[in-house]
């Protein structure tokens, strides 16, 4: 059963080495992520599952100890998803960027509360399948925690990656409300086509969360909400 969840944004710019001189701009987001992961540890889970958006090569499960890198972003920095397990399985595929950011966050907070694994989900994954995957995750142990990585719309301003779309602010407002209220039904109802048009990479991971949380009766709290660079970022906890 799901006992706690943390929702964090996943831009590589969260990592100070990547952000370089712009690192202070996301310091509040980093601090909120640290607090959110603290909520996960306090729930004393038997297992932590980290879920984030991924391109085709990064989809599917990633075991504890899987490697990630920020070399594609011009930084000589490697990370691991938790401690290495001592076998070759973890080295087979590199973590997608979203899970590499999660690995960096977990390393920063020295996560040791429970064994963990990663799951990269593709943007096209239908809502019904996301919910099904979430239900399967929730049934893996008596006390499961989720770290859910994902960004909201990338169309909040003229200089945003997706340019300005007038629908973006309303979409993000509903996402923020749902995450802050632990509103499972609202997350399940997110429009996948609209999310795609607004470049909201968090849609599928959030709907995985909705499936895992179904029946768990968790309460939510929104710790951070902003749209630097024209991209919606949220940090929330469910417990």
């Amino acid at each position: 059963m799901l006992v706690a969840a943390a929702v964090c944004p996943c831009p590589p710019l969260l990592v100070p080495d990547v952000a370089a001189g712009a690192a202070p701009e996301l310091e509040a987001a980093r601090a909120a992520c640290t607090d959110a992961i603290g909520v996960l540890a306090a729930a004393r889970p038997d297992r932590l599952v980290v879920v984030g958006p991924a391109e085709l090569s990064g989809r599917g499960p990633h075991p504890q100890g899987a490697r990630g890198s920020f070399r594609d972003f011009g930084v000589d920095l490697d990370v691991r998803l938790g401690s290495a397990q001592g076998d070759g399985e973890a080295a087979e595929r590199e973590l997608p960027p979203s899970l590499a950011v999660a690995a960096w966050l977990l390393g920063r907070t020295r996560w040791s509360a429970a064994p963990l694994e990663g799951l990269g989900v593709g943007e096209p994954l239908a809502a019904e399948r996301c919910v099904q995957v979430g239900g399967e995750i929730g049934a893996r142990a008596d006390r499961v925690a989720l770290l859910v990585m994902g960004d909201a719309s990338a169309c909040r301003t003229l200089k945003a990656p997706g340019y300005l779309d007038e629908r973006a602010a309303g979409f993000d407002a509903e996402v923020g409300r749902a995450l802050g209220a632990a509103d499972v039904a609202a997350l399940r109802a997110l429009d996948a086509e609209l999310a795609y048009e607004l470049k909201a990479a968090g849609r599928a991971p959030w709907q995985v969360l909705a499936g895992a949380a179904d029946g768990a009766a968790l309460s939510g709290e929104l710790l951070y909400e902003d749209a630097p660079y024209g991209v919606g970022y949220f940090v929330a906890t469910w417990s």
Side-chain angles (χ1 to χ4, degrees):
M1 173 178 281
L2 187 71
V3 295
V7 175
C8 295
C10 59
L13 287 173
L14 262 184
V15 180
D17 287 359
V18 176
E25 296 177 15
L26 289 180
E27 189 51 46
R30 291 184 200 98
C33 291
T34 296
D35 291 344
I37 292 172
V39 170
L40 298 182
R44 295 176 287 109
D46 299 322
R47 188 156 199 83
L48 173 66
V49 180
V50 185
V51 181
E55 299 296 334
L56 185 61
S57 62
R59 295 177 194 172
H62 295 269
Q64 180 167 326
R67 299 175 183 271
S69 171
F70 294 97
R71 297 176 191 273
D72 287 347
F73 302 95
V75 175
D76 185 13
L77 176 64
D78 297 322
V79 292
R80 280 186 180 272
L81 189 64
S83 59
Q85 294 296 287
D87 58 38
E89 182 184 6
E92 287 183 5
R93 290 186 304 139
E94 188 169 289
L95 295 169
S98 66
L99 298 188
V101 173
W104 180 84
L105 288 171
L106 290 166
R108 184 178 191 238
T109 57
R110 300 182 180 178
W111 176 269
S112 61
L116 69 157
E117 62 187 282
L119 178 66
V121 295
E123 184 178 49
L125 195 65
E128 294 80 7
R129 178 57 181 150
C130 291
V131 169
Q132 181 183 2
V133 169
E136 293 167 356
I137 290 173
R140 288 185 186 176
D142 290 338
R143 301 183 65 81
V144 176
L146 270 179
L147 174 55
V148 183
M149 309 298 293
D151 302 337
S153 73
C155 303
R156 291 282 291 274
T157 66
L158 291 172
K159 294 183 178 180
Y163 197 65
L164 176 65
D165 190 312
E166 299 293 346
R167 302 170 296 174
F171 177 88
D172 286 0
E174 173 58 11
V175 169
R177 186 206 64 77
L179 292 176
D183 190 336
V184 170
L187 291 183
R188 293 180 65 157
L190 289 175
D191 186 326
E193 182 175 351
L194 177 59
Y196 176 78
E197 292 173 359
L198 296 177
K199 303 184 183 301
R203 189 276 306 174
W206 298 330
Q207 289 183 324
V208 171
L209 167 61
D214 191 24
L218 301 179
S219 298
E221 182 179 2
L222 193 62
L223 304 183
Y224 175 88
E225 177 181 7
D226 202 357
Y229 319 116
V231 182
Y233 297 150
F234 298 104
V235 179
T237 57
W238 292 19
S239 59

